[in-house]
Amino acid sequence: MFDIGFSELCLIGLVSLLVIGPERLPKVARLAGFWLGKTRTMVAAVKEEIKLELQAEEMRQIFKEQSGLEDVQQMLDETSDTLKSTLAPQSDNSEQNEPKNRS
């Protein structure tokens, strides 16, 4: 994320020692570390929440696609039933005509 090397960290430490002073530097460093830790924890929590929301959205999308497939399956079943009901009377008529033709 940040490209800070060892020399930059030493320079920051030296400037902060000169500006803050040797008595208050440990206290300020602890406070800065505390807030840095809190910030990292907060960022991690936000990342996790975003990840969960994205997963939930993906699941909603999958369920939506599945419901679309169920509609297609229902249409296929209805078409199949219609074809069966249409072909059934025709097969009954052809069976009745066959014995007459043989006689």
Side-chain angles (χ1 to χ4, degrees):
M1 193 161 100
F2 294 110
D3 192 22
I4 298 176
F6 182 72
S7 60
E8 286 92 1
L9 286 175
C10 287
L11 182 63
I12 291 170
L14 182 64
V15 169
S16 61
L17 180 64
L18 292 174
V19 171
I20 296 172
E23 294 94 24
R24 293 182 19 208
L25 185 62
K27 186 176 180 180
V28 170
R30 279 194 298 272
L31 186 63
F34 170 77
W35 284 110
L36 184 64
K38 273 198 155 294
T39 304
R40 284 184 179 176
T41 304
M42 191 182 326
V43 167
V46 169
K47 281 183 181 180
E48 185 65 27
E49 190 173 325
I50 290 171
K51 181 180 174 184
L52 290 174
E53 278 296 319
L54 288 174
Q55 287 176 348
E57 184 61 34
E58 288 175 4
M59 292 300 291
R60 281 188 216 110
Q61 188 70 22
I62 290 171
F63 286 143
K64 187 176 180 181
E65 290 173 2
Q66 288 293 327
S67 68
L69 291 176
E70 289 173 0
D71 292 342
V72 170
Q73 183 64 39
Q74 183 181 7
M75 288 173 45
L76 285 173
D77 291 342
E78 289 173 1
T79 305
S80 175
D81 291 342
T82 305
L83 282 174
K84 286 178 184 176
S85 65
T86 304
L87 294 177
Q90 290 178 356
S91 65
D92 290 341
N93 288 339
S94 66
E95 288 175 4
Q96 290 174 357
N97 289 338
E98 285 181 15
K100 290 180 183 178
N101 289 338
R102 290 184 185 170
S103 303

